[in-house]
Amino acid sequence: MKHRIVVLGAGYAGAHAAGRLARRLHSDDTEITLVNADPEFVERVRMHQLAAGQDLRRRPLRDVYAGTGVAVRPARVTAVDVERKTVDLVDQHGADEIGYDTLVYALGSTAADHGVPGAAEHAYHVSGEQGALRLRERLHDLAAGGTVLVVGGGLTGIEAATEIAESRPDLDVAIAARGGVGDWLSDKARRHLRTVFDRLGITVHEDTDITHVDETGVLTGAAGRIPAQVTVWTAGFSTHPIAAATTLEVADTGQIVVDGTMRSVSHPDVYAVGDAGIAQGAGGKPLRMSCASGIPMAWQAADAIAARLTGRQVPEKTIGYFLQCISLGRRDGIIQFVTPDDQAKPSAITGRPAARIKEFVCAGAAWSIGHPTVMVPTRRRHVTPVETEALPVTAH
C-alpha cells in the first residue's frame, strides 16, 4: 500500500508543503492529497489590495498541481481524529472521512476580535478572500466623505489603511492602535511611514484601546468615541479551533506545538506548518504568524517527512528573518531590514524602490507555489519499508 500523506489547507504553507513533498517522494510509493475549502490558491498577502478594488490573478489549485501527482480535494475540514488517523470533511457531495499515515496540518488562522464587544458583528477584516470581498463591496458603496477606521497598528493594519486611502482619496481614513503604529520599525522607517500617512491624509490614533464596536464607530478606553462608517479589524489573528479539539499538544494560542522539523511533539505522524504551528526560530523566539514564517516552515516539514520516509538524514536548521516588506499603496513602501530574531536594524529602503521590492517578493511567493524546490533539481526518492529514526537530525 502507498504511504498516504494528507495536507490540510492550501495557504502559503500548505501549498508549498504539498508541492515540495511531491518533488521529494516517488509517486509509486506515496499518495499526496491536498484538502482546501477553496478550489483556488488565495494570495493572502494581497487581501488589502482586493479589498481596495483591485482584481487579482486566479490560480486554480488543479492547474497549479497538474502533473505533480498531488490530488486536490476541495472540501472543508470539520474535525481531525489523531488517534484513528482520520479527517472529517464536507464537500459538495456531503460529509466524508479520509485516512492518513502522515498529516500536515496547515489550516492557518483568521481574524481575532479578542472578545471586544461588537467587533465580530460590525467590523470588517482582510484575513481571507471572503472578508476582503465583503469589505470591497462596502467601500464601493461608501460615498465621498465617508469615514473608515482601521484598528491595528501592525503590518496588516498599515497596509490596509494606506491601500484604502490611496485608492479612495475621497474618504476620511484613520488608523488606531493600542500601542504605537509601526513602533517596532527603525527611526528611518517610522519617519517615512509618518510622511506617507500625512501625504495620504490618514489620521493616527495611538495608545488607543478599543472597547466596543458598533455600526457608527468605536468606543475607546480614554479618547471617547471615534466615528467610522466602516471599521476594519486587523488587530491580530487566531487559529482555527480544530487542533485544540484533538489530543494534540497545543499552546494557549491553539497552535500545535512542534519541534525543529515541524513535527508534533505529541504525535509523530502529524506536522504543523504556517500559522497553525508554534515553533522556535532564531534566538529561541516563537516564529510570528506570517508568510515569511510559513514558507520556510513548509520546506522544513516536507524535507523532514521525505527524509524520514526514505531513510535519509533529517535536515533541520533554525528559521530566521532577513527583512519585513510593507506596502504603502501601490507606489510606496518600506523594506525594513531585521536581525534573524526579527528585530529592526537601523537600515531600511523606502519609497518606490521599496514598493518594487515588495511586489517582487509577493509575486515570488505566489510563483514558488508551483516551484516549491526553488529551482533545486527534483529528486523523487522511494519510501523505505520502515520509517528510519536511527539517522540523526543534522543542524545548521
Side-chain angles (χ1 to χ4, degrees), residues 331-335 349-359:
R331 297 180 296 277
D332 210 327
I334 296 171
I335 303 300
I349 301 171
T350 60
R352 283 183 179 270
R356 295 190 187 99
I357 295 171
K358 166 72 172 182
E359 175 57 31

Side-chain angles (χ1 to χ4, degrees), residues 339-364:
T339 60
D341 63 347
D342 213 25
Q343 299 300 306
K345 293 181 177 180
S347 54
I349 301 171
T350 60
R352 283 183 179 270
R356 295 190 187 99
I357 295 171
K358 166 72 172 182
E359 175 57 31
F360 176 79
V361 170
C362 290

Side-chain angles (χ1 to χ4, degrees), residues 201-217:
I202 298 172
T203 302
V204 179
H205 301 275
E206 295 187 311
D207 301 316
T208 302
D209 192 16
I210 306 300
T211 59
H212 191 273
V213 181
D214 60 33
E215 295 179 348
T216 60

Side-chain angles (χ1 to χ4, degrees), residues 107-128:
L107 291 180
S109 62
T110 187
D113 60 26
H114 303 296
V116 175
E121 296 83 2
H122 301 295
Y124 295 79
H125 65 84
V126 290
S127 63

Side-chain angles (χ1 to χ4, degrees), residues 40-60:
E40 298 185 345
F41 171 71
V42 175
E43 291 185 83
R44 189 174 182 181
V45 296
R46 295 189 188 271
M47 289 300 96
H48 56 288
Q49 295 177 234
L50 183 65
Q54 299 163 45
D55 294 325
L56 305 181
R57 176 183 170 184
R58 313 306 301 187
R59 301 176 187 273

Side-chain angles (χ1 to χ4, degrees), residues 16-278:
H16 274 89
R20 197 170 178 100
L21 283 165
R23 287 162 174 78
R24 291 284 186 257
L25 296 167
H26 205 287
S27 60
D28 287 350
D29 309 323
T30 55
E31 179 182 279
I32 302 171
T33 302
L34 176 62
V35 181
N36 197 58
D38 196 310
E40 298 185 345
F41 171 71
V42 175
E43 291 185 83
R44 189 174 182 181
V45 296
R46 295 189 188 271
M47 289 300 96
H48 56 288
Q49 295 177 234
L50 183 65
Q54 299 163 45
D55 294 325
L56 305 181
R57 176 183 170 184
R58 313 306 301 187
R59 301 176 187 273
L61 290 170
R62 293 194 188 279
D63 292 347
V64 171
Y65 293 103
T68 66
V70 175
V72 177
R73 178 75 184 271
R76 181 170 57 88
V77 179
T78 57
V80 176
D81 189 328
V82 293
E83 309 307 327
R84 295 178 54 237
K85 298 188 179 182
T86 58
V87 178
D88 291 341
L89 310 171
V90 174
D91 61 16
Q92 60 180 340
H93 304 295
D96 194 10
E97 178 184 276
I98 60 174
Y100 67 83
D101 298 304
T102 296
L103 181 71
V104 181
Y105 186 103
L107 291 180
S109 62
T110 187
D113 60 26
H114 303 296
V116 175
E121 296 83 2
H122 301 295
Y124 295 79
H125 65 84
V126 290
S127 63
E129 186 175 38
Q130 289 186 350
L133 288 173
R134 178 171 169 262
L135 174 57
R136 175 188 180 122
E137 183 178 357
R138 180 68 182 96
L139 291 172
H140 179 268
D141 294 339
L142 199 59
T147 52
V148 178
L149 174 67
V150 177
V151 178
L155 296 173
T156 305
I158 291 170
E159 292 192 329
T162 52
E163 199 76 46
I164 294 169
E166 182 185 79
S167 64
R168 289 291 305 274
D170 58 328
L171 299 179
D172 182 2
V173 179
I175 185 170
R178 177 175 294 178
V181 176
D183 57 359
W184 72 93
L185 297 169
S186 65
D187 291 342
K188 176 182 178 180
R190 285 200 303 271
R191 287 194 301 270
H192 184 73
L193 180 61
R194 295 301 169 152
T195 298
V196 174
F197 281 164
D198 290 343
R199 173 171 59 81
L200 295 175
I202 298 172
T203 302
V204 179
H205 301 275
E206 295 187 311
D207 301 316
T208 302
D209 192 16
I210 306 300
T211 59
H212 191 273
V213 181
D214 60 33
E215 295 179 348
T216 60
V218 303
L219 293 177
T220 73
R225 183 172 187 82
I226 302 176
Q229 292 171 271
V230 178
T231 299
V232 184
W233 196 269
T234 68
F237 300 98
S238 62
T239 57
H240 292 285
I242 291 175
T246 71
T247 55
L248 286 164
E249 182 174 335
V250 299
D252 293 341
T253 58
Q255 295 170 284
I256 299 171
V257 181
V258 297
D259 63 16
T261 65
M262 308 304 130
R263 193 184 207 181
S264 164
V265 297
S266 62
H267 291 73
D269 49 8
V270 177
Y271 293 72
V273 295
D275 294 354
I278 185 165

